[in-house]
Amino acid sequence: MTQIFTVSELNQRIKDRLDADPRLHDLWASGEVSNLINHRSGHRYFTLKDRESMISCVLFRGQGRTGFDLQDGQNVLVFGDVDCYRPQGRVQLIVRGVRLDKGLGVRHLEFEALKEKLAAEGLFDPEKKRALPRYPRCIGIVTSPDGAALRDVLRIVGSYPVRIIISPALVQGEGASASICLAFRALQGRTDLVIVCRGGGSAEDLWCFNSEMVARAIADCDCPVISAVGHETDVTIADFVADLRAPTPTAAARMAVPDTTELTADLVSLERRMVRALWSGLERKQEHLQYLERDLSLRRMRGRLEEASQRLDYLGQRLGQAEQKRIESYRQRLESAGSRLGSVSPLATLSRGYSLVRSERGLVRGAKDVDPGETLEIMLADGRLWARVLEKSG
Amino acid sequence: MTSDELSLEEALDDLEAIVSYLEEGKMSLEESLALFEKGIHLVRQCRLSLEKAEQRIEIITGELPPDLRG
């Protein structure tokens, strides 16, 4: 007879079967922790997985103290019971105890192995990191077109004049790695900077950024790449290969374009420097002109002085001994002429006892030139006398 | 990347070069003035392009290249 279950009945039945199976109780299971959520309620939810399969786990508050910090990627042994969560028909492990298994999870081992391999190839070398363009013209963005990361990037880049090419990619789940590679390929030769970004998510969600093909796509990109995958604490292989790692998509955008406020301030200062340079150029020219002016008059004067002194030297040379003799003879001639002049001078006559008499009207040559009472000047060889005329006769 | 006029980068590069030329002060007055005028023009152009913040956003759609097709 065919029974028709309601969904609730079906889930109840599954739950009953699970509860009834002793092998599904007080069991140990080993696997890797992922998608760990520390809920506000104090309960912890995570997925336990191995290479092929996964199962949801719940660790209720107060149940099984772990004694260590449960984290994604850890390999653990859990102790508990299999249960069916009826509202969702979900089979899950109610965990009552967790123990850290030896070693890291498989994925972590893969991660470390790839990291080591790529590092050995030199893909992470600091000298391989390319400098970002100061003023990018065309920025490529590899991300999900629906993600918050894209909106964050566009919000920041929005104040700067730049061309943007969005190259859509799946950023989680199956095919994400290939999709990211394709998105990089599509930007080839078209941009001078690429931002590859994704918002926060579980280690599982971000896993596609740990693939070798994505690492190579970033390394092969023909322009610098900024990676911003997940939150600040998430580090992926993509971050190691990228030329620059940004903690968040918003930070990536800030690194990608210059701050327009700063640029505007730079422009003002450039303008100021230009005006100052022009003015100081003018002042320098003026000073130079003044200097030349001064220099010119000084030089002219010095030139004249030098010319005169040369002429003096020249003349001095020409005044040889012969010339000096001639000067000597001139002097002798001068002396003899002087003495001859002396013999005809009135002074010579006076020295012989004669005297000269002068009135106000001039030389007195006779009595008629003089009136009584007048003062006369009598010149003698050795001096003068002034005499008054008492009387005159003749 | 087609652009008829100077990109912001070129304009800023030119502007910086002009300022340092002017600051060297080795040019004639006429040259200085001509450069200064050009510089002012560039400042204006940069400012304008910053104010406009013109963006062209495009989204790539396309087929997978053969080697990436499943």
Side-chain angles (χ1 to χ4, degrees):
Chain A
M1 191 190 143
T2 314
Q3 188 187 350
I4 298 177
F5 292 101
T6 63
V7 175
S8 305
E9 288 165 349
L10 183 60
N11 283 347
Q12 183 60 53
R13 177 141 190 179
I14 294 172
K15 184 176 167 60
D16 290 345
R17 288 298 293 268
L18 294 179
D19 287 348
D21 187 342
R23 282 173 301 174
L24 295 179
H25 293 277
D26 299 330
L27 61 83
W28 286 98
S30 77
E32 181 188 330
V33 177
S34 76
N35 287 320
L36 176 71
I37 296 165
N38 286 302
H39 198 268
R40 258 180 313 170
S41 59
H43 308 324
R44 276 178 279 188
Y45 302 91
F46 60 94
T47 305
L48 194 67
K49 61 175 187 180
D50 60 16
R51 275 180 192 277
E52 277 91 37
S53 198
M54 57 176 75
I55 186 168
S56 299
C57 297
V58 189
L59 183 60
F60 289 118
R61 188 167 57 128
Q63 289 282 326
R65 307 182 57 159
T66 53
F68 63 94
D69 192 14
L70 198 61
Q71 278 181 354
D72 282 348
Q74 284 167 339
N75 247 14
V76 292
L77 290 170
V78 301
F79 177 74
D81 313 281
V82 175
D83 175 57
C84 175
Y85 182 56
R86 278 173 303 166
Q88 288 174 10
R90 192 171 64 210
V91 173
Q92 57 185 13
L93 257 175
I94 309 296
V95 178
R96 284 184 280 146
V98 188
R99 210 184 277 171
L100 201 55
D101 204 355
K102 268 186 279 170
L104 293 162
V106 178
R107 292 216 136 168
H108 262 250
L109 291 176
E110 283 173 5
F111 177 92
E112 290 301 328
L114 179 59
K115 194 174 141 192
E116 210 168 292
K117 174 182 167 186
L118 297 179
E121 277 184 42
L123 254 64
F124 308 156
D125 287 357
E127 55 268 29
K128 276 224 173 133
K129 306 287 179 201
R130 294 165 287 191
L132 305 187
R134 243 177 111 190
Y135 310 107
R137 291 190 214 186
C138 186
I139 298 178
I141 306 176
V142 173
T143 191
S144 158
D146 313 314
L150 178 60
R151 286 199 299 279
D152 287 347
V153 170
L154 291 181
R155 188 165 42 81
I156 299 297
V157 175
S159 62
Y160 184 80
V162 68
R163 199 166 151 225
I164 293 168
I165 302 178
I166 298 165
S167 198
L170 292 172
V171 290
Q172 74 183 73
E174 196 147 337
S177 289
S179 171
I180 292 166
C181 292
L182 172 65
F184 267 100
R185 178 94 55 95
L187 289 174
Q188 193 83 18
R190 302 175 67 173
T191 57
D192 47 22
L193 176 66
V194 172
I195 298 174
V196 53
C197 59
R198 187 208 188 285
S202 67
E204 200 62 37
D205 291 342
L206 305 184
W207 200 255
C208 54
F209 290 94
N210 288 324
S211 76
E212 181 168 354
M213 78 194 290
V214 167
R216 299 208 181 276
I218 292 173
D220 291 343
C221 185
D222 59 0
C223 62
V225 176
I226 304 177
S227 73
V229 177
H231 294 301
E232 190 158 8
T233 48
D234 300 316
V235 179
T236 62
I237 296 282
D239 293 322
F240 289 118
V241 189
D243 297 283
L244 193 63
R245 185 219 167 202
T248 60
T250 304
R254 290 221 170 89
M255 292 169 180
V257 293
D259 184 286
T260 45
T261 323
E262 267 173 38
L263 255 187
T264 311
D266 285 353
L267 273 179
V268 170
S269 100
L270 277 173
E271 200 177 16
R272 243 182 238 151
R273 271 170 65 194
M274 202 158 61
V275 172
R276 211 177 300 142
L278 187 75
W279 270 116
S280 72
L282 277 177
E283 277 169 13
R284 257 202 311 277
K285 291 214 162 57
Q286 206 172 6
E287 274 169 24
H288 191 213
L289 198 67
Q290 284 170 353
Y291 166 76
L292 281 180
E293 228 170 36
R294 263 199 314 265
D295 190 47
L296 201 65
S297 55
L298 259 176
R299 246 191 288 181
R300 198 180 290 152
M301 225 147 54
R302 196 176 306 139
R304 275 191 195 164
L305 269 172
E306 278 168 2
E307 202 180 309
S309 104
Q310 267 184 18
R311 247 177 94 190
L312 263 175
D313 287 352
Y314 175 64
L315 286 175
Q317 276 168 7
R318 271 181 53 190
L319 283 175
Q321 284 192 334
E323 302 297 321
Q324 287 200 351
K325 269 181 197 158
R326 232 163 78 193
I327 289 173
E328 192 63 25
S329 82
Y330 283 147
R331 192 188 296 141
Q332 284 169 4
R333 275 167 67 190
L334 192 66
E335 273 171 17
S336 80
S339 62
R340 266 165 46 209
L341 198 62
S343 65
V344 296
S345 150
L347 294 175
T349 314
L350 292 182
S351 66
R352 290 203 299 273
Y354 296 91
S355 60
L356 283 168
V357 180
R358 284 198 300 192
S359 75
E360 283 172 354
R361 290 179 296 278
L363 197 62
V364 176
R365 295 174 186 277
K368 62 178 182 356
D369 296 337
V370 180
D371 293 324
E374 200 175 353
T375 304
L376 298 176
E377 183 189 0
I378 300 165
M379 292 178 73
L380 301 166
D382 62 344
R384 296 165 189 212
L385 302 169
W386 280 267
R388 182 159 290 153
V389 178
L390 299 172
E391 236 176 283
K392 85 168 184 180
S393 62
Chain B
M1 272 179 262
T2 56
S3 92
D4 308 332
E5 54 183 53
L6 239 45
S7 72
L8 185 64
E9 177 182 17
E10 287 164 337
L12 280 168
D13 283 350
D14 282 5
L15 188 57
E16 272 164 12
I18 283 177
V19 172
S20 28
Y21 274 141
L22 280 173
E23 281 175 343
E24 265 176 43
K26 285 178 183 164
M27 280 165 303
S28 75
L29 196 59
E30 284 80 4
E31 286 170 319
S32 300
L33 275 172
L35 264 189
F36 180 75
E37 234 167 88
K38 195 173 167 207
I40 291 293
H41 175 76
L42 285 172
V43 168
R44 226 171 268 153
Q45 193 185 321
C46 291
R47 215 167 259 160
L48 208 67
S49 100
L50 278 178
E51 277 162 13
K52 273 197 299 183
E54 197 184 332
Q55 280 185 345
R56 283 163 294 171
I57 301 182
E58 56 181 280
I59 298 190
I60 292 177
T61 51
E63 276 192 25
L64 293 172
D67 57 323
L68 283 172
R69 257 178 243 164

